[in-house]
Amino acid sequence: MYAEERQQAIAELIGRRGRMSVADLATRFRVTTETVRRDLALLERLGHVRRVHGGAIPTAALTVTEPALNEREHTHAAQKDRIAAAAARYLPAAGGSVVFDAGTTTSRLVAALPADVDLEVVTNSVPIAARLAGLGSVHLHMLGGRVRGITQATVGEDALRFLRALHVDVAFIGTNAFSVGHGLSTPDPDEAAVKRAMVRCADRVVVLADSSKIGRQHLISFAPVDAVDVLVTDTEIDDTDCKELTDNGIEVVTA
């Protein structure tokens, strides 16, 4: 295979898969990792890919756009249902405290809670708060602030002030993207600030994210990889991504 053919094949593969590591590309095309890095450097200059830690992603994968909540609700729905069911094992014992971040997957976890669950719950999600408000055994705290219509989540100084004084057993966090190099990330700085405060106030951080978000990066990083204790994702996660995360001390659970 000529270099130009290999480079075109690499660009097409990254476009289909969403992310490829240097090591996997070297094995697949039977070349050295140094050759792959040169290929990726050329493809990045041409605008076809963007290099990230250990590999490359499509140029479009690094974005500042954000789909609305109702759009995301039906994306990867089956995977999100399985992730939510698997994440339930990380709920604290009766009387424990949790913070539920806004998001479609965290909402599915909340929807699956038994009616008699005994928890102290904090959330910035209007839909999650509405679900929990009728459960008499839940002590619900809704974060104040401005409501972002696109995510139906509260953001701003009122929310941050409450979170700075908070300590919970577990934070269940959603994310738009997760990579080893950029950590957890999201497009909006106000939402990133709230997520960052949620991560900091918890003894244990459990991230719920389908595999399409792994290896991708968004504009604002709100937590480094070492702030995450558990990632609950689906079985389509790339083996290389899974190993990288595990090597960084994260418990990766696939559902």
Side-chain angles (χ1 to χ4, degrees):
M1 180 180 289
Y2 292 110
E4 293 82 358
E5 295 174 318
R6 183 182 64 249
Q7 290 153 7
Q8 181 177 348
I10 288 173
E12 291 173 352
L13 184 61
I14 292 171
R16 290 198 308 272
R17 294 285 298 274
R19 184 187 189 280
M20 289 294 295
S21 71
V22 169
D24 282 350
L25 289 169
T27 300
R28 183 181 291 263
F29 292 98
R30 298 180 181 180
V31 295
T32 65
T33 55
E34 289 77 12
T35 296
V36 170
R37 290 190 180 94
R38 286 195 296 269
D39 288 343
L40 293 179
L42 173 62
L43 291 169
E44 185 175 46
R45 287 197 299 273
L46 294 173
H48 297 310
V49 304
R50 186 177 295 273
R51 287 184 292 174
V52 296
H53 177 78
I57 59 176
T59 302
L62 186 61
T63 178
V64 298
T65 60
E66 187 175 13
L69 190 69
N70 59 350
E71 295 177 49
R72 291 186 286 120
E73 185 65 42
H74 304 291
T75 305
H76 303 289
Q79 292 96 322
K80 289 176 180 178
D81 286 337
R82 296 197 303 270
I83 291 167
R89 78 171 82 165
Y90 296 99
L91 288 164
S97 56
V98 300
V99 60
F100 288 115
D101 184 19
T104 54
T105 314
T106 49
S107 291
R108 281 171 161 80
L109 170 57
V110 170
L113 294 176
D116 61 348
V117 64
D118 178 13
L119 289 174
E120 196 86 27
V121 174
V122 178
T123 188
N124 70 326
S125 166
V126 174
I128 287 177
R131 283 184 181 275
L132 293 174
L135 300 184
S137 57
V138 168
H139 304 279
L140 176 64
H141 304 269
M142 175 73 192
L143 294 179
R146 175 177 63 87
V147 177
R148 289 190 73 223
I150 196 167
T151 59
Q152 297 179 36
T154 56
V155 297
E157 185 54 36
D158 287 342
L160 295 175
R161 187 180 302 112
F162 188 96
L163 288 167
R164 281 195 287 266
L166 188 70
H167 175 262
V168 296
D169 297 316
V170 185
F172 291 96
I173 303 295
T175 188
N176 297 79
F178 187 16
S179 70
V180 169
H182 199 51
L184 302 173
S185 57
T186 194
D188 183 77
D190 290 335
E191 196 123 10
V194 172
K195 290 175 179 287
R196 185 177 299 115
M198 287 179 171
V199 168
R200 289 175 176 170
C201 78
D203 285 337
R204 194 176 208 187
V205 175
V206 180
V207 174
L208 283 62
D210 66 78
S211 59
S212 71
K213 299 175 180 179
I214 310 304
R216 294 180 179 268
Q217 302 179 61
H218 273 262
L219 184 65
I220 309 295
S221 175
F222 63 87
V225 66
D226 60 6
V228 178
D229 297 296
V230 181
L231 167 67
V232 187
T233 187
D234 59 72
T235 54
E236 296 176 29
I237 184 174
D238 183 82
D239 289 343
T240 301
D241 289 328
C242 186
K243 184 177 186 304
E244 279 189 336
L245 294 168
T246 301
D247 288 347
N248 276 272
I250 297 174
E251 178 187 352
V252 179
V253 177
T254 57

